[in-house]
Amino acid sequence: MKLHLKTSFDNIKRAPFQAMAAISVLAITFFVTTLTAMVVYSSEQLLQFFESRPQVIAFLTDDADTLEVENLQVQLTGDPRVNTVKFVTKEDALAIYKEATSENPLLGELVSPSIFPASLEISPMDLTFAQELLTELKEEPIVESVGFTASIGGESAVTEVIERLKTISNYIRIAGIIAVTVLSITSFLVLMVVIGMRILMKKEEIESLSLIGATPGFIRAPLIFEAVQYAFWGVFIGWLMASVLIMYASPTLFSYFGEIPVLPSETSDFFTLFAIFFAAELIVGLLIALIGSFISVSRSLTMK
Amino acid sequence: MPVLEFKNVSKSFGDIQAVTNISFSIEDGEFVFITGPSGAGKTTLMKLLLRQYRPSEGEIRFGDWQVHKAKKSKIPHIRQEIGAVFQDFKLLHEKTIRENAEIALAIAKVPSSEWRQRVDHILDLVGLTERADLFPSQLSGGELQRAALARSLVVNPKIVFADEPTGNLDWETAEGVMNLLLKINKEGKTVIVTTHHKTIVKEFGKRVIEMKKGEIVKDSMHSDHKEKTKKMKTKK
């Protein structure tokens, strides 16, 4: 093991430009992979944020008593189509109104809680359940009227926003998958070429080793270690560059998206996410290196 | 039981007959010269033994191995038991002499804790202790031959097969290498040397298998020689 590692280090030292080429291509691949993974994560968060907003509101009649409201709330909470149910009192409604009109305090002063109906804000598990829930809630005696969340523009606006986000998210995912696949294939081929060149350079040495009894595994080992080192450094550099870029941009992203958690706000969660990206990319990088070098070495040894 | 046996071995490459119907056996502890002019088939014998070539016909037995029908996966194990010394040395140019020997030990799966002691001993035997940390490009022809010999001996092979070990050397250096091989043989190791150097063959007075155009034309093994071998074995 130690001997193979030393041989692989020596190989890299003796042909630094080949090593740099392999590491650069891998670094670009994993730079793009990290960014794509981050964009996919953020778009998922964005979608989840909008989907988990209370989309259905049941405005309650003034004479609805607490027990009736609680019964309806329990009934909805047990419904598998419902994610969350929140009871908003008249006072809460006034507070929301005042917050929404905080730029013009006069509007807030002119109203009293009595003009706002109490309501139940319901967030469905999936937006497709919203219409069914809406229809069923209309039948409830304590429900005066129903509607979609006004804050994002009513029924059509909600579905449109979410559909658009889903489409964008899908496009991002597809584009990301294509970019990462193309770059991974390129990395794979570059690794194969670099290892192939190495074998060509070491043809005599490989023949000598074979003649003194080296097994194919013994001959392969330093070349595979070499590819693994390229993969490790390629993944690390690519991941580090992308992570630094995202960290640099994160204050702007936080202020632009406000309460939408496109990036984890807790520092520990933030770094855990990057650690997960690194671990996943390292596994992919090592697989590329192992498979690429194995095929390359096996081909060369068979051809010999 | 012989340590090495060729039985009616032939090898052809298309229409070219490299060796034809070769038969001989070598006992444990013997020193044998295989002589003949260039193209006689001496190196082919070595390549057949190392299974670089598969014989077209015949059987090759080496120790417990049936070399002629060994599976591909077994070939490295056969080679590990043969201390092959090549005419062009086949040392690894990017490794020092010590590292070259260590690689042979690594291939033979000798624990690394034993490497230093074994390499030191073998370099001392071939007189290269002071050259241990030099690269092959920094050594003379004779030193390279001794380094190649050290690499082959360090794994304690069953036999040493040296292909033209004196081929590129001046007389004095060649004699030094041959004396070294003789010394190894005296310690009980079977040594096979291919050479076209008739003076050396005469000087050392050992068993000679003479080849010409791919055939054995003479094997000096006679009753006298057999007795010598028997005596040597009883001594051991």
Side-chain angles (χ1 to χ4, degrees):
Chain A
M1 176 86 166
K2 205 173 143 192
L3 186 81
H4 295 318
L5 270 175
K6 188 185 176 300
T7 308
S8 65
F9 276 125
D10 288 345
N11 288 349
I12 294 171
K13 272 193 278 177
R14 285 191 184 107
F17 293 111
Q18 279 179 23
M20 276 161 67
I23 291 172
S24 304
V25 174
L26 279 155
I28 292 167
T29 302
F30 288 100
F31 174 74
V32 174
T33 306
T34 311
L35 289 184
T36 306
M38 197 70 239
V39 173
V40 169
Y41 170 84
S42 298
S43 62
E44 282 291 323
Q45 292 296 104
L46 199 65
L47 258 176
Q48 210 179 336
F49 175 81
F50 280 110
E51 281 183 333
S52 63
R53 299 290 286 175
Q55 284 113 21
V56 177
I57 300 183
F59 295 103
L60 305 174
T61 56
D62 284 340
D63 56 355
D65 65 33
T66 321
L67 190 66
E68 285 174 316
V69 175
E70 273 176 11
N71 282 344
L72 182 58
Q73 204 173 346
V74 169
Q75 184 193 325
L76 284 167
T77 310
D79 194 314
R81 296 166 299 172
V82 173
N83 187 18
T84 57
V85 181
K86 187 186 167 194
F87 178 53
V88 179
T89 61
K90 286 169 177 281
E91 289 74 21
D92 292 338
L94 176 64
I96 293 167
Y97 175 77
K98 281 189 173 173
E99 199 188 330
T101 57
S102 58
E103 285 177 8
N104 193 348
L106 197 62
L107 287 173
E109 281 169 20
L110 294 173
V111 292
S112 73
S114 60
I115 68 158
F116 292 102
S119 61
L120 286 171
E121 290 187 348
I122 299 136
S123 158
M125 293 299 255
D126 191 286
L127 197 66
T128 52
F129 299 135
Q131 194 56 52
E132 292 172 27
L133 287 168
L134 212 71
T135 316
E136 287 171 28
L137 281 166
K138 270 183 196 166
E139 305 300 318
E140 292 290 336
I142 59 163
V143 174
E144 191 169 300
S145 62
V146 288
F148 278 92
T149 310
S151 62
I152 44 177
E155 184 178 357
S156 62
V158 175
T159 36
E160 263 173 40
V161 167
I162 289 176
E163 280 313 309
R164 205 171 297 164
L165 279 174
K166 274 188 176 168
T167 313
I168 293 169
S169 169
N170 277 339
Y171 281 139
I172 290 170
R173 226 173 284 180
I174 291 166
I177 288 169
I178 291 171
V180 170
T181 308
V182 168
L183 285 167
S184 298
I185 292 170
T186 312
S187 303
F188 184 80
L189 292 174
V190 167
L191 264 180
M192 277 184 70
V193 168
V194 168
I195 298 298
M197 283 166 75
R198 185 75 76 221
I199 292 164
L200 210 63
M201 281 165 65
K202 291 184 158 281
K203 207 176 160 193
E204 271 182 46
E205 189 174 313
I206 289 171
E207 193 197 345
S208 301
L209 285 170
S210 168
L211 287 174
I212 60 169
T215 56
F218 189 94
I219 295 169
R220 251 182 223 128
L223 297 160
I224 291 175
F225 277 137
E226 192 181 332
V228 164
Q229 287 182 64
Y230 294 153
F232 176 81
W233 288 110
V235 168
F236 182 71
I237 294 168
W239 169 83
L240 189 69
M241 286 189 329
S243 303
V244 168
L245 187 70
I246 294 165
M247 279 180 218
Y248 180 75
S250 59
T252 316
L253 292 172
F254 279 127
S255 82
Y256 182 78
F257 286 99
E259 60 175 317
I260 305 170
V262 287
L263 290 173
S265 50
E266 289 289 321
T267 315
S268 61
D269 293 344
F270 192 84
F271 285 106
T272 305
L273 181 70
F274 280 101
I276 291 169
F277 284 167
F278 181 67
E281 286 172 20
L282 197 59
I283 291 169
V284 175
L286 292 180
L287 276 177
I288 290 176
L290 289 173
I291 298 169
S293 56
F294 190 85
I295 293 174
S296 178
V297 177
S298 299
R299 263 176 60 85
S300 305
L301 291 181
T302 315
M303 281 158 72
K304 204 172 85 61
Chain B
M1 198 178 149
V3 67
L4 176 66
E5 190 176 13
F6 275 59
K7 216 172 177 181
N8 307 319
V9 175
S10 297
K11 176 67 188 171
S12 56
F13 302 98
D15 295 337
I16 300 160
Q17 197 70 28
V19 289
T20 312
N21 202 27
I22 298 284
S23 293
F24 65 86
S25 64
I26 293 170
E27 297 293 327
D28 195 17
E30 258 193 286
F31 191 116
V32 180
F33 282 112
I34 299 176
T35 66
S38 295
K42 304 185 297 288
T43 304
T44 306
L45 287 190
M46 187 185 196
K47 288 186 173 177
L48 284 165
L49 176 59
L50 290 172
R51 257 300 291 279
Q52 281 180 274
Y53 301 152
R54 188 193 276 271
S56 311
E57 276 174 59
E59 294 174 10
I60 302 169
R61 290 174 200 278
F62 164 60
D64 296 329
W65 299 103
Q66 290 190 298
V67 180
H68 58 286
K69 57 179 179 186
K71 284 181 185 168
K72 209 176 171 185
S73 59
K74 298 291 176 199
I75 295 171
H77 303 287
I78 296 173
R79 290 177 179 174
Q80 282 169 25
E81 292 182 20
I82 301 167
V85 184
F86 304 93
Q87 194 174 0
D88 57 352
F89 320 121
K90 295 209 185 297
L91 290 166
L92 309 183
H93 299 291
E94 291 168 357
K95 305 275 180 202
T96 62
I97 300 310
R98 176 178 293 282
E99 286 169 339
N100 266 281
E102 284 178 349
I103 278 184
L105 289 170
I107 289 170
K109 294 195 174 83
V110 174
S112 56
S113 53
E114 291 179 26
W115 290 4
R116 178 155 281 276
Q117 189 203 343
R118 286 178 75 156
V119 174
D120 283 347
H121 168 73
I122 221 74
L123 290 179
D124 183 46
L125 182 75
V126 300
L128 282 178
T129 305
E130 283 170 14
R131 301 277 190 270
D133 297 319
L134 296 184
F135 289 93
S137 59
Q138 295 168 309
L139 301 187
S140 69
E143 286 171 335
L144 283 171
Q145 196 59 266
R146 281 188 280 150
L149 191 57
R151 183 185 62 182
S152 73
L153 287 171
V154 77
V155 290
N156 192 24
K158 274 192 183 148
I159 62 167
V160 174
F161 199 128
D163 185 24
E164 297 278 7
T166 57
N168 302 316
L169 308 177
D170 58 74
W171 169 248
E172 206 177 320
T173 318
E175 200 179 23
V177 170
M178 287 312 301
N179 281 329
L180 188 59
L181 285 165
L182 204 62
K183 186 176 163 189
I184 291 158
N185 174 246
K186 276 182 183 159
E187 286 180 7
K189 191 75 65 196
T190 310
V191 177
I192 304 162
V193 176
T194 73
T195 183
H196 61 269
H197 221 305
K198 284 185 178 166
T199 330
I200 283 177
V201 176
K202 272 180 197 163
E203 179 142 332
F204 284 85
K206 295 285 180 183
R207 178 184 168 192
V208 181
I209 296 172
E210 201 178 322
M211 292 185 73
K212 209 172 184 181
K213 292 181 181 170
E215 289 177 47
I216 293 179
V217 291
K218 190 177 157 192
D219 186 344
S220 73
M221 189 175 71
H222 44 72
S223 54
D224 203 31
H225 176 80
K226 274 182 183 169
E227 269 174 31
K228 270 186 197 172
T229 313
K230 270 181 196 168
K231 270 182 196 171
M232 200 164 60
K233 278 182 134 185
T234 27
K235 265 186 196 173
K236 271 207 287 178

